[in-house]
Amino acid sequence: MRHPEPIDGVLRALGSTEPSAEGTRLVCGIRRDRRLGLLQEVREAVPGGEAAEHWALLDEAERCDPAAAADVVQYPATGTWAEETLRRLHAPYGPPADLGHLGALAAAAALRAGIGFKVTLRAPNGRLVLPTLGLLRPTRPGPLALTEHSWDPGDPAVLPLHALPDGHTALDDLDPYRATAAVPAARRLTPKGHKRWDTQWSGALTLLHRYDAARAEETGRLLRSVVPLSGSARPSGGTLPAAQGSVLARAQPPPTLAAALVHEVQHGKLAALAGAFPLHTADRAARYWAPWRADPRPLEGILRGAYAHLALAGYWQRAALYGARGAWAQHARIRSQVAVVLPVLVSCPELTAGGRVFVDAMAAAERGMDGVPAPGGRYAVARGAVERERLDWCAAHPNLASYTVG
């Protein structure tokens, strides 16, 4: 992919966390190229046999309707499948690669493209998931012959993927690759569960549009699916690097969900950017203090956390100016956390040239929040609280105290 020049301008725009057309184009382009590269690796690893028929069907769908095929190929869960497939293909032990899912991808693309076709697929455990479409539940066991007439949303054997009220984002509780064992997804939701999500999603988008319309638009452009988390999952939200364009989240009240979307979309942006433009050369040693975590973190961890929290601080500042209850307190607390980490990042000698541009833009964005200060000395109080937390952390980790200051 040919990146826009000069890249420093795009890095500054992305580093500020503020939405920009250039930044969104770059992130989308990186994601697209990464996904196509993954699929090419899978194709080269498995070129023949049954897979050849599936690759041919996928190619035909792309020729007839590039947009429909691209939506299937670029669907977040497809990335998780591609990475897992490559890992299993190259592993000497362990479960075999799920190459049958390639047929499901090809069939979904063909159905979306509206072309005539016939392909026979297996339905594991009596379920065949067609990415971006939903689930087929065959009435009889054994291989399933699919044609262009096999997807009828009115058929009782068809369970369409649930579309959230914005009309673009899927609530994915079906795709087998929507999450990983490390971050377990919720089982298929009931109609009542879907309705609950519809209500909370609509409320969250309403708040995003009200408080920060540009960020709401960015969320719509960068987010393709939301995966409900299992009740046993430890985090309340997250992103998977392989499933870029997806957010894992719990069902939660609209104000909390809106903030979670702001936070996780930033993680997704930075994951895409860092995959194409290394921002630092630091190792994975956990030695830094992150005010939002109790455990020491590697440099990458505090960079990701500071970036997402910087966007949150800006979001809550805008919400406060609109009059949202409790927003100034949220802004002051989160900004104070970011402000104490930024000097560590700015002074880090392991930043690349691009990383320095990026981090300097983060620091400038944080300073710019002085233009509309939190009333009543809230920010000073929050900074004092964070400083006390830093001292406590240093007392608990005396050998790492030097990594808490810039």
Side-chain angles (χ1 to χ4, degrees):
M1 168 180 162
R2 183 172 296 174
H3 298 294
E5 297 292 345
I7 192 62
D8 283 4
V10 187
L11 288 174
R12 277 191 288 270
L14 284 168
S16 74
T17 79
E18 293 299 315
S20 70
E22 297 82 4
T24 298
R25 279 197 298 270
L26 180 62
V27 169
C28 289
I30 292 171
R31 288 178 175 178
R32 181 182 63 249
D33 287 0
R34 171 61 177 160
R35 181 63 50 78
L36 294 177
L38 275 174
L39 288 179
Q40 183 60 34
E41 288 184 57
V42 176
R43 187 189 291 252
E44 291 171 357
V46 191
E50 186 180 57
E53 176 188 1
H54 299 158
W55 289 121
L57 180 57
L58 185 58
D59 290 341
E60 184 181 355
E62 184 177 18
R63 284 192 297 271
C64 293
D65 192 335
D71 193 44
V72 175
V73 167
Q74 296 295 329
Y75 190 66
T78 302
T80 309
W81 168 79
E83 287 205 357
E84 178 67 10
T85 296
L86 287 170
R87 186 187 68 78
R88 291 186 181 185
L89 286 171
H90 296 143
Y93 307 105
D98 178 15
L99 298 179
H101 193 68
L102 173 60
L105 290 170
L111 286 164
R112 294 278 306 274
I115 62 176
F117 73 99
K118 183 175 182 179
V119 64
T120 300
L121 302 176
R122 290 172 291 278
N125 302 314
R127 296 160 46 101
L128 178 64
V129 172
L130 299 172
T132 75
L133 288 175
L135 174 69
L136 276 177
R137 296 170 289 191
T139 56
R140 293 179 295 180
L144 179 64
L146 295 182
T147 72
E148 64 271 23
H149 305 296
S150 295
W151 186 259
D152 177 4
D155 188 332
V158 169
L159 182 65
L161 188 64
H162 186 76
L164 288 165
D166 67 351
H168 170 74
T169 309
L171 183 69
D172 195 341
D173 56 348
L174 297 176
D175 198 295
Y177 293 96
R178 65 191 183 276
T180 66
V183 188
R187 294 179 181 273
R188 180 159 58 91
L189 301 181
T190 63
K192 183 178 179 180
H194 286 156
K195 185 174 181 180
R196 180 187 181 196
W197 262 98
D198 286 349
T199 300
Q200 294 176 338
W201 178 260
S202 295
L205 288 192
T206 296
L207 293 177
L208 278 176
H209 281 286
R210 180 183 302 164
Y211 301 150
D212 198 336
R215 206 171 292 286
E217 183 178 348
E218 177 187 59
T219 299
R221 290 181 180 277
L222 295 180
L223 196 59
R224 180 65 180 85
S225 68
V226 176
V227 176
L229 279 171
S230 165
S232 64
R234 293 180 60 188
S236 59
T239 55
L240 297 175
Q244 293 185 9
S246 180
V247 162
L248 301 102
R250 294 186 191 279
Q252 48 200 316
T256 310
L257 181 57
L261 291 175
V262 171
H263 187 274
E264 298 303 338
V265 166
Q266 301 309 305
H267 278 320
K269 287 164 60 177
L270 185 54
L273 180 66
F277 297 95
L279 300 177
H280 64 83
T281 59
D283 59 26
R284 298 293 300 173
R287 57 172 69 97
Y288 294 94
W289 173 57
W292 41 87
R293 297 274 299 245
D295 53 328
R297 300 289 289 156
L299 182 72
E300 177 66 22
I302 64 166
L303 176 59
R304 290 179 73 248
Y307 187 64
H309 282 80
L310 177 63
L312 265 183
Y315 169 74
W316 283 118
Q317 186 179 51
R318 289 181 171 92
L321 293 172
Y322 197 91
R325 180 179 300 178
W328 277 123
Q330 291 275 27
H331 163 73
R333 176 181 63 84
I334 295 170
R335 183 189 172 190
S336 65
Q337 293 175 331
V338 175
V340 79
V341 169
L342 279 171
V344 178
L345 290 171
V346 169
S347 65
C348 178
E350 295 158 309
L351 293 176
T352 62
R356 187 156 302 285
V357 171
F358 187 82
V359 169
D360 285 348
M362 290 174 61
E366 189 274 326
R367 290 192 302 270
M369 293 176 184
D370 285 335
V372 187
R378 284 184 174 86
Y379 180 56
V381 171
R383 281 298 298 263
V386 169
E387 177 59 19
R388 290 190 294 274
E389 292 171 5
R390 187 186 72 83
L391 294 175
D392 290 343
W393 192 89
C394 289
H397 304 85
N399 59 318
L400 301 178
S402 61
Y403 292 99
T404 68
V405 293

